[in-house]
Amino acid sequence: MLTARFELRALCGHLFYLCLGLLLLLHPGEAYQKISDEKLKGLPRPGEDFDIHTGSLLSPILQTRVPGTPGHTAVLEHLTNFFRTSLPKWEIEFQNSTSKTPISHGKEVPFVNFIAYRDPPGVPKGDVGRLTLVAHYDSKIDPKGFIGAIDSAAPCAMIMHAVRSIDSALERKWAAMQEQGMDLSDEHQGVQVLFLDGEEAFLEWTATDSLYGARSLAEHWDKQVNPAMSTFKSPLSAISLFVLLDLLGAKKPTIQSYYPTTHWAYQNLGTLEKRLRSLDLMKSKKTPWFVDADKNAHQVVSLGGIQDDHLPFLARGVEILHLIDYAHFRGFPEVWHTALDDAEHLDMDTVKDWSVLMTAFAAEWMDLEDFLEHSEAPRQVEKIERGEDTQTVDEERRTEL
Ligand SMILES: *[C@@H]1O[C@H](CO)[C@@H](O)[C@H](O)[C@H]1NC(C)=O
Ligand SMILES: [Zn+2]
């Protein structure tokens, strides 16, 4: 099946409109498809809007955002505005809950999970499975002034960059299918973003003092049932892969593979890392990040757990890919849960490399090869934004090293 599809793609060349139907017939739905070198080179790298002081995307997240405080409200508004203005075709929802915490003196603290998704047009909600990119946006209450740059301001920004970078290709893909008069219900894949609230403990990590938002959402979605005859029984079963990003943005991350059933997806990320490095599209030094990429699925042993937002979903059978920087010899990154986890301690090459890597992964997952822009366009856009139309790409790279 795969071979036939690859040959067909080769035959089709630029006549993809003719062949699209055939391709999809051969391999409908969940088709993980490699993106060519040419298209990888065209993926946009974050630019000025990732500046930690003035950048319009990342810097507004780099503030304290403890649930129930003004900083938290401001960050939630920023996330919402980003989708409303940059990604107007995405649906936005909030899932709200309240809970007492060990330090709230009996008062209920509000938690708001942010949910955004984009489905193929006209396909009933219950018939779409969604690649789901997840990070928490709350910050820890102590030490005082804790920013949580890797935990998880930067991961939120990486996800925002990735989805905005594939959005127009998604649009083109679905428009092309509609132009062909194709039944889009053959297209079961959408994309979803979860920015979860209340991940951090207020006093000390326990089963009840942590994961406030994740526990509430997993329970809520578990009870929800899609209309009869839907492809997916509930919003939980419609999560085709739950990709959790946490503690990312420090130098030289070590990412282990924790789940045999999603090891294939982990390996695809490992392969993408290698390819992006060989194409000189990643600037951070250490390679490889995906230290288990050469293991086979049988050699992947779940540690019995890093406690994180995936747990309430894992417990309900959701497929998890946990991207967290953790190494046996050193544990979490050095700045973890200290005052040093701030904007200045982010390694920006690493943050931007992650953003490009997640863009590439989402593009492969959504099978966007034929709909991504060619390589020059995105860099030009970046330059025009900066008003640097005479600078070459190479010069631009050197200034950032
Ligand atoms: C949930 O909370 C958000 C943010 O406070 C608010 O805008 C939204 O209206 C609330 N949604 C519901 C259903 O209460
Ligand atoms: Zn944390």
Side-chain angles (χ1 to χ4, degrees), residues 67-120:
T69 67
H72 182 277
T73 308
V75 171
L76 180 59
E77 262 171 37
H78 167 60
L79 301 174
T80 310
N81 285 338
F82 173 82
F83 277 85
R84 293 231 165 99
T85 57
S86 303
L87 298 164
K89 300 230 166 132
W90 287 60
E91 300 286 336
I92 297 174
E93 290 174 7
F94 302 98
Q95 189 265 327
N96 302 349
S97 61
T98 66
S99 178
K100 296 182 175 100
T101 80
I103 60 163
S104 70
H105 307 289
K107 282 207 194 102
E108 296 283 326
V109 176
F111 297 98
V112 184
N113 291 316
F114 174 92
I115 301 156
Y117 58 92
R118 183 157 187 198
D119 289 349

Side-chain angles (χ1 to χ4, degrees), residues 136 140 146 151 199-200 205 246-247 336-337:
H136 76 86
K140 203 168 174 299
F146 178 75
D151 186 11
E199 189 265 351
E200 301 285 8
W205 191 284
D246 200 4
L247 304 183
W336 174 68
H337 284 190

